Amino acid sequence: MSAVAVVVPAHDEERRIAACLRSLRTAAARVAPLPVLIVVVADACTDATARLAARGGAHVVETRSRNVGVARAAGVDRALELLADADADADADGDGDGDADGDVWLAMTDADTTVPPAWLAHQVARAGEGHDMVLGTIRLAPTTADALLVARHDAAYFRTRRFHAPGGAWEHPHVHGANLGVSAAAYLRVGGFAPLPTGEDRDLAARLIATGHRVARTDRHPVHTAARLRGRAPGGLADLLASLRLTPGPHAAPAGPDGAGVDCVRTPGVPGGGKSVRDVPVHHL
């Protein structure tokens, strides 16, 4: 692997972008001397997100799409351009023949999220084992959610874990753009992120699985994401949490657009497996 690029879409995240970038710099230090490039996509921002991201050491791309799929794709494009330029500059004969995309790892998170110190190291290790994609899990940031909301969310989020052997790895059914990694080669082979206002992460995972790529699902090193009730993407986590606030009983299942949680995907053959707007089969690895 020649480099890691972290892409962070952001819309008016001046309150949270600094904490996100601090956590990413800590995670990047754990994979040194492997180069880590951080790209923040400031999408239709009307606040200081772009300025704060640049101050935090990120490369900044400004877009006006108000579309997370477009923003993630723009961030990946910029990251690969920067790495290709660096590869050409480092090329001994100056002809730029190096394949900058072939061994680059793309890590995804969100601007309202903080990652644990070993987050990138874990993704790089799974890539080294031959996986093309790593799908991680989330936790609600405790400073942004009350205990009842966390209990309601977790009751649905972890419901498939009880079907796994005690002590065994939980091959979870979730897909989150806030905790996702993919090889650049695999990403480009399937056409990258689609210009979807929500579900771009599930759509990418579905195409990778359908074309036989190796996907690792892991609950190690979950990220912490803000538990806000008014989100940036329609049908995302914020909408789910808002529905949980209106659901009677602490153990009620979330009521997404199709009657289940919108931040999880169906697990074939697993009783009680969740589903989302777009079903993605789970391949047990």
Side-chain angles (χ1 to χ4, degrees):
M1 183 174 298
S2 63
V4 173
V6 184
V7 175
V8 186
H11 171 66
D12 288 346
E13 294 286 7
E14 64 181 4
R15 293 178 54 204
R16 295 187 170 97
I17 189 64
C20 174
L21 292 175
R22 282 195 299 271
S23 72
L24 289 174
R25 291 195 299 269
T26 299
R30 291 286 189 97
V31 296
L34 187 65
V36 176
L37 180 75
I38 300 173
V39 176
V40 171
V41 184
D43 187 24
C45 290
T46 59
D47 64 1
T49 296
R51 177 171 55 82
L52 293 174
R55 182 186 298 174
H59 296 269
V60 177
V61 177
E62 297 195 50
T63 60
R64 307 298 300 175
S65 65
R66 284 302 303 270
N67 181 299
V68 68
V70 171
R72 288 197 199 277
V76 171
D77 289 347
R78 183 57 176 151
L80 294 179
E81 289 173 3
L82 290 168
L83 290 171
D85 290 345
D87 185 64
D89 289 343
D91 193 346
D93 58 9
D95 61 8
D97 286 340
D99 181 7
D101 302 337
D103 55 356
V104 170
W105 186 258
L106 302 170
M108 304 289 151
T109 192
D110 290 336
D112 65 348
T113 299
T114 58
V115 307
W119 183 66
L120 286 177
H122 181 62
Q123 290 197 21
V124 168
R126 300 310 292 268
E129 296 168 359
H131 293 95
D132 301 296
M133 180 177 238
V134 176
L135 299 176
T137 54
I138 66 166
R139 302 291 188 271
L140 299 182
T143 57
T144 65
D146 60 65
L148 179 59
L149 183 60
V150 172
R152 287 179 170 179
H153 173 268
D154 289 356
Y157 192 84
F158 296 108
R159 63 189 174 195
T160 64
R161 189 161 60 179
R162 66 182 182 272
F163 299 108
H164 287 78
W170 178 39
E171 292 174 345
H172 65 86
H174 306 292
V175 179
H176 302 288
N179 193 355
L180 181 156
V182 60
S183 77
Y187 173 90
L188 293 171
R189 277 196 295 270
V190 300
F193 284 113
L196 299 173
T198 190
E200 81 296 338
D201 42 9
R202 294 186 293 272
D203 173 73
L204 179 66
R207 283 182 280 126
L208 284 163
I209 291 169
T211 50
H213 291 84
R214 291 192 66 196
V215 177
R217 296 174 179 267
T218 174
D219 189 41
R220 295 180 61 190
H221 311 296
V223 302
H224 282 85
T225 194
R228 56 188 169 201
L229 304 181
R230 298 180 63 183
R232 288 4 185 198
L237 177 62
D239 285 355
L240 169 64
L241 296 178
S243 74
L244 290 176
R245 280 283 181 124
L246 302 174
T247 303
H251 302 297
D258 59 354
V262 296
D263 68 331
C264 57
V265 294
R266 178 176 291 121
T267 310
V270 177
K275 66 178 181 177
S276 75
V277 179
R278 185 183 301 275
D279 295 341
V280 178
V282 174
H283 286 193
H284 296 281
L285 303 172

